[in-house]
Amino acid sequence: MKQEQKFSIVNVNNNQLPLITEDTKTRYNWIPFGVYGQDDFFDAVTVTYNVSTTNSACIEGIADLIFGKGLYSKNEVYDKILQKIIPQEETKRVTFDLKLYGNAAYQVYWNDEHTKIVKMFHIPVQYLRAEKIGSNPKVENYFYCTDWNDQRKIKDKKRIPAFETSNEKYEILYIKNYSPGLYYYSLPDWVAAMQFAMSEGEISNLHINNITNGFLPAVMLNFNNGIPAPEERETIEDLVQAKFTGTDNAGRFMLSFNDDPATKPTIDVINIENLHEKYQYVADYTQDRILVAHRVTSPLLFGIRTANNGFSSQSEEMKTAFSIMQTMTISPFQNLILNSLDYALSSGGYDEMELFFEQLTPLVILSQTAEETGKSVAQVEDETNKSLENPATQEAPQDQSTSDAILESEPKPNVSFVRTSQAFFNKEYETYND
């Protein structure tokens, strides 16, 4: 008599690609911002920052370069006022939010007459949600809540007007870039690497559980006491999947209790050749994709050493990589913040503040340049800062580049730079009536 045999293939955790959405059809009067669920974008981004070593190193390193040594005004009188209005630590937090989330915000406090800005503080942008627009095609209010997953806290949310939309004493200056397909929010520049950041976290989770549980191998589990009904098979599959699949369950062992040795389950070890090499490939590829998403020209700038640097020496690599990163990555972030603050402070009674970020240049580059040019490190640093001051408001943006002193030994390509788009416009929207 021919025995019947059943073989099941269990599909494990079929994750889909992130789908980033603004839920404009929501019944709420604010706009949820989701990536895997309805309103989980900021939580998902925070997780990728927390679990991925490469991602967190890039975010922190680039945020530090954006902020540099602080925000200042070239006007000495205004500079003293600026430090009182916007404490340096507040702008540092804003630059970090802008890099991590692609969105950032200041709390703007006005005087009683609503003619002068008296203070500006950072507000955690992940706690803000834009109000759904009505007849006026512009966000007029934001809602503040410390936990958008807690319905009790949502009931106590605060409604805060957007900058220049009210006469209230307290307003929100929201800073973001343009993102295709989105209206209320923006995306971080590294958003395409979210899956890779999660993969890096899962790889570390897998390894730590394998180490903890003794590197037990993958197995085929055969039950030899008959073929159960379909419903019972599904139940058994679900139980096995829950107990033994996923990185949290790597290396778990099994116990079997049997009435008859003939019906005991058999376990066949599945040997995967060169598994360590496959994991190493995935880890290297994941790290590379994260670096690409952040537009990191050289991992050495953030203390990350890779197998292939592509340069004959570290100093040569860092010098060239820093000039490219400063121009192509750091300056656009600085321009966005400076343009937003220029506009806000001008509206708030402070004209011609001439804001700039004092740049943070790696010491190894300053030292080498000083040695090559015969100047002091302080002189080279001062020249670097002057060459990079607020490129968004200089009269000749085509002349902006990293310090000539740093790059004078390098060939100068014939490159011109276009002024970045302003964060605000005199007339943001235009409507047409039939």
Side-chain angles (χ1 to χ4, degrees):
M1 179 178 177
K2 188 176 180 180
Q3 292 184 343
E4 185 181 5
Q5 194 173 39
K6 294 286 185 178
F7 182 76
S8 298
I9 298 176
V10 181
N11 292 322
V12 181
N13 197 21
N14 286 327
N15 289 326
Q16 295 181 348
L17 292 174
L19 181 62
I20 299 170
T21 58
E22 294 175 337
D23 188 1
T24 57
K25 297 180 180 179
T26 177
R27 61 186 176 88
Y28 306 117
N29 58 345
W30 67 89
I31 302 297
F33 194 25
V35 57
Y36 296 108
Q38 186 193 30
D39 195 10
D40 64 344
F41 176 82
F42 291 103
D43 292 338
V45 169
T46 303
V47 169
T48 60
Y49 167 76
N50 289 333
V51 303
S52 171
T53 53
T54 306
N55 196 39
S56 63
C58 290
I59 290 170
E60 291 177 6
I62 293 176
D64 285 342
L65 287 176
I66 295 169
F67 179 72
K69 295 183 179 180
L71 178 70
Y72 299 95
S73 170
K74 287 190 272 188
N75 186 313
E76 292 185 5
V77 175
Y78 273 150
D79 189 61
K80 294 180 180 179
I81 298 173
L82 176 67
Q83 304 312 317
K84 293 180 180 179
I85 296 175
I86 314 176
Q88 295 286 3
E89 186 62 29
E90 305 302 319
T91 300
K92 186 171 185 178
R93 292 172 180 171
V94 166
T95 59
F96 183 82
D97 279 358
L98 190 60
K99 175 58 186 173
L100 175 60
Y101 297 115
N103 301 261
Y106 281 99
Q107 310 170 57
V108 182
Y109 287 89
W110 294 85
N111 61 4
D112 294 335
E113 295 76 22
H114 203 83
T115 56
K116 281 274 188 181
I117 293 175
V118 294
K119 279 288 184 181
M120 293 180 68
F121 296 106
H122 160 264
I123 185 169
V125 75
Q126 67 269 29
Y127 296 155
L128 295 176
R129 297 294 183 273
E131 184 182 48
K132 189 183 297 184
I133 61 174
S135 57
N136 181 16
K138 180 179 180 180
V139 177
E140 295 184 340
N141 296 281
Y142 290 91
F143 292 98
Y144 176 87
C145 177
T146 55
D147 188 354
W148 288 95
N149 297 312
D150 190 333
Q151 292 298 322
R152 291 172 298 180
K153 289 189 176 181
I154 289 178
K155 291 180 180 179
D156 298 328
K157 64 185 179 299
K158 296 181 180 179
R159 188 169 181 260
I160 308 169
F163 185 74
E164 280 199 322
T165 62
S166 74
N167 288 318
E168 299 292 329
K169 193 169 184 178
Y170 172 34
E171 293 179 330
I172 294 293
L173 176 65
Y174 202 91
I175 303 174
K176 67 183 182 71
N177 261 319
Y178 165 74
S179 291
L182 299 180
Y183 184 85
Y184 296 89
Y185 307 104
S186 181
L187 297 177
D189 62 336
W190 57 272
V191 67
M194 284 187 67
Q195 292 283 79
F196 291 107
M198 291 301 298
S199 296
E200 192 173 68
E202 290 293 345
I203 289 173
S204 65
N205 196 29
L206 175 67
H207 286 326
I208 191 64
N209 279 285
N210 266 324
I211 292 170
T212 305
N213 293 289
F215 291 100
L216 291 182
V219 298
M220 169 78 77
L221 181 61
N222 300 290
F223 294 96
N224 302 314
N225 54 351
I227 299 174
E231 295 82 5
E232 188 177 352
R233 286 204 307 270
E234 291 181 4
T235 301
I236 294 173
E237 290 171 0
D238 291 341
L239 289 173
V240 173
Q241 178 177 338
K243 286 183 176 292
F244 300 106
T245 61
T247 56
D248 285 332
N249 296 319
R252 278 193 174 187
F253 64 90
M254 296 175 285
L255 292 176
S256 175
F257 302 93
N258 311 285
D259 293 329
D260 188 345
T263 61
K264 69 180 181 180
T266 59
I267 300 174
D268 298 323
V269 176
I270 302 174
N271 291 316
I272 303 176
E273 296 182 358
N274 302 321
L275 185 60
H276 66 288
E277 294 179 2
K278 291 181 173 64
Y279 280 132
Q280 186 61 47
Y281 170 78
V282 173
D284 292 342
Y285 181 72
T286 296
Q287 183 186 70
D288 179 72
R289 295 299 90 189
I290 295 172
L291 293 173
V292 169
H294 284 283
R295 292 177 292 173
V296 173
T297 47
S298 172
L300 283 177
L301 290 172
F302 306 111
I304 302 172
R305 182 72 181 181
T306 56
N308 299 316
N309 288 311
F311 287 81
S312 59
S313 67
Q314 292 184 17
S315 59
E316 178 189 351
E317 174 180 353
M318 292 189 69
K319 181 189 295 186
T320 306
F322 179 74
S323 68
I324 297 172
M325 170 158 279
Q326 185 68 44
T327 303
M328 305 303 295
T329 303
I330 304 304
S331 289
F333 277 104
Q334 292 178 334
N335 288 345
L336 179 60
I337 296 171
L338 292 171
N339 288 337
S340 300
L341 289 177
D342 279 339
Y343 178 85
L345 292 171
S346 295
S347 302
Y350 305 96
D351 293 324
E352 299 179 1
M353 287 289 277
E354 296 183 279
L355 303 176
F356 70 96
F357 281 105
E358 186 172 345
Q359 304 302 319
L360 181 64
T361 308
L363 181 59
V364 64
I365 297 178
L366 295 175
S367 300
Q368 182 180 353
T369 306
E371 183 178 348
E372 292 173 354
T373 60
K375 300 176 182 178
S376 67
V377 172
Q379 287 176 316
V380 173
E381 185 175 23
D382 184 59
E383 291 175 0
T384 302
N385 287 331
K386 288 181 179 179
S387 70
L388 296 172
E389 284 180 2
N390 194 4
T393 57
Q394 290 182 11
E395 293 183 0
Q398 68 273 12
D399 294 330
Q400 299 151 18
S401 61
T402 306
S403 172
D404 290 337
I406 288 181
L407 298 177
E408 69 179 20
S409 62
E410 302 290 334
K412 304 283 193 306
N414 184 18
V415 178
S416 62
F417 298 92
V418 179
R419 184 188 299 267
T420 58
S421 59
Q422 298 289 327
F424 298 93
F425 304 91
N426 292 331
K427 189 172 185 181
E428 289 195 72
Y429 305 96
E430 188 169 356
T431 58
Y432 295 89
N433 298 319
D434 294 333

